[in-house]
């Protein structure tokens, strides 16, 4: 069973890593291995704590999200004629819906595999390295010319397919969507902003689904619900600060430090696994 301190650490880890392209689920899995009982927090714990970081997105981008939702609601439900300013917002609402479909479908169909088979540290370490290289290539060779106003349905689906890869711990939701955005020619800031918005339906849906099941399930031998709520609250606070920092960072800097970190971390985990120091 995790201690309160260990739950706090996992909350900090979640807040620090959710939006950086380095995979929060991979970090929770790896960090848990070094706790007193060397236990995997599990997919359910990770999904619930991600609610905290997505609440940070909801509050940080509250005006953007409010405008998108209102424009989409006016167009789809109320059938109102939209102003010139509202049309791009309603379009963004549709693109978020379309982009969310792949991860919702694949997440539902592959729930058992995601919960069990994808938790191996061998797989996580390998995906950290492989997708670190992919992100590096996409970031380096991306044309950096498109903004969110250039986003279309085809690109929305491609973004969504990239996001669905994050069902594998180690890939990184933000890393996969940013890599796709850079490959398609979007600026770093545009790719990052869309990855924030695109994650909201999928993460809230997954987190609330797991939270519902957590209330009805027998007590976990790894964590309790109060511990999970502590980690979620801390993830919210830390995550909010990371969003503000990251948006400023990408305006002038590349993702290379994160790429180097991913490769170094993945390599270190593979070495520790090979030496038998940690359990896969």
């Amino acid at each position: 069973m995790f201690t309160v301190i260990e739950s706090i650490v996992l909350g900090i880890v979640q807040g620090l890593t959710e939006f950086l392209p380095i995979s929060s689920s991979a970090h929770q899995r790896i960090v848990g291995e070094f706790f007193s009982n060397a236990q995997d927090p599990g997919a359910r714990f990770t999904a619930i704590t991600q609610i905290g970081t997505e609440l940070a997105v909801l509050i940080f981008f509250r005006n953007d999200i409010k405008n998108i939702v209102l424009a989409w609601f006016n167009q789809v439900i109320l059938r109102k004629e939209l102003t010139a300013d509202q049309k791009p917002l309603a379009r963004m609402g549709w693109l978020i819906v379309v982009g969310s479909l792949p991860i919702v479908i694949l997440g539902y169909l592959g729930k058992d595999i995601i919960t069990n088979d994808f938790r191996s540290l061998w797989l996580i370490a390998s995906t950290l390295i492989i997708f670190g290289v992919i992100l590096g290539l996409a970031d380096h060779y991306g044309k950096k010319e498109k903004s969110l106003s250039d986003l279309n349905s085809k690109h929305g689906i491609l973004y969504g397919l990239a996001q669905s890869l994050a069902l594998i711990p180690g890939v990184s939701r933000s890393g996969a969507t940013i890599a796709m955005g850079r490959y398609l020619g979007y600026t770093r800031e545009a790719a990052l902003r869309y990855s924030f918005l695109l994650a909201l339906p999928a993460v809230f849906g997954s987190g609330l689904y797991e939270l519902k099941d957590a209330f009805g399930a027998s007590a976990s031998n790894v964590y309790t619900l109060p511990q999970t709520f502590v980690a979620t609250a801390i993830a919210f606070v830390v995550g909010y600060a990371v969003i503000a920092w990251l948006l400023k960072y990408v305006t002038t800097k590349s993702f290379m430090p994160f790429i180097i970190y991913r490769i170094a971390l993945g390599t270190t985990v593979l070495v520790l696994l090979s030496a038998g120091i940690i359990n896969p």
Side-chain angles (χ1 to χ4, degrees):
M1 182 72 70
F2 289 151
T3 66
V4 174
I5 297 299
E6 289 170 342
S7 298
I8 291 173
V9 170
L10 286 174
I12 294 172
V13 168
Q14 171 61 28
L16 286 173
T17 60
E18 172 65 19
F19 306 118
L20 304 181
I22 56 177
S23 180
S24 61
S25 55
H27 279 75
Q28 286 207 14
R29 174 68 180 90
I30 293 169
V31 169
E33 198 63 31
F34 291 93
F35 285 165
S36 55
N37 293 322
Q39 292 177 308
D40 178 4
R44 174 171 292 169
F45 180 90
T46 300
I48 295 173
T49 56
Q50 285 175 338
I51 293 175
T53 42
E54 290 312 306
L55 279 173
V57 174
L58 201 61
I59 293 175
F60 193 93
F61 293 102
R62 59 190 177 277
N63 290 329
D64 292 344
I65 294 169
K66 180 190 71 174
N67 292 334
I68 290 170
V69 171
L70 286 176
W72 187 88
F73 187 84
N74 285 335
Q75 182 186 64
V76 177
I77 306 301
L78 301 181
R79 302 291 182 179
K80 288 184 176 181
E81 184 68 27
L82 300 182
T83 65
D85 292 337
Q86 290 177 318
K87 288 179 180 179
L89 295 170
R91 182 167 161 272
M92 177 59 70
W94 277 115
L95 290 171
I96 292 172
V97 171
V98 169
S100 299
L101 292 177
I103 196 170
V104 170
I105 295 170
L106 293 174
Y108 177 78
L109 295 176
K111 185 176 185 299
D112 291 339
I113 296 175
I114 296 164
T115 303
N116 301 310
D117 299 346
F118 284 176
R119 305 297 294 182
S120 167
L121 284 177
W122 288 109
L123 174 63
I124 290 171
S126 299
T127 53
L128 278 170
I129 296 170
I130 293 169
F131 281 89
V133 172
I134 291 173
L135 174 60
L137 292 173
D139 189 46
H140 180 74
Y141 291 105
K143 293 182 180 180
K144 315 174 186 179
E145 60 187 19
K146 295 177 182 175
S147 66
L148 286 183
S149 62
D150 299 309
L151 196 62
N152 54 42
S153 298
K154 177 183 176 182
H155 289 180
I157 293 173
L158 289 173
Y159 262 109
L161 290 171
Q163 179 181 232
S164 65
L165 293 174
L167 293 169
I168 306 172
V171 172
S172 170
R173 186 188 316 277
S174 61
T177 51
I178 289 169
M180 178 59 73
R182 301 294 290 120
Y183 173 77
L184 294 173
Y186 290 85
T187 65
R188 293 189 182 103
E189 186 176 5
L192 180 62
R193 281 183 175 272
Y194 186 57
S195 75
F196 282 137
L197 298 174
L198 185 60
L200 284 168
V203 174
F204 271 121
S206 173
L208 293 174
Y209 177 83
E210 293 292 352
L211 183 60
K212 172 184 68 69
D213 284 356
F215 277 110
S218 57
S220 169
N221 62 348
V222 179
Y223 56 86
T224 63
L225 278 176
Q227 288 174 324
T228 308
F229 292 148
V230 167
T232 303
I234 292 172
F236 163 76
V237 175
V238 177
Y240 191 92
V242 170
I243 293 172
W245 173 81
L246 187 58
L247 283 171
K248 292 180 180 179
Y249 174 88
V250 297
T251 58
T252 57
K253 303 288 194 306
S254 77
F255 293 110
M256 187 53 66
F258 306 116
I259 295 161
I260 294 172
Y261 173 78
R262 286 180 65 110
I263 295 172
L265 177 60
T267 302
T268 301
V269 173
L270 289 177
V271 171
L272 293 176
L273 288 168
S274 299
I277 297 174
I278 57 176
N279 193 323

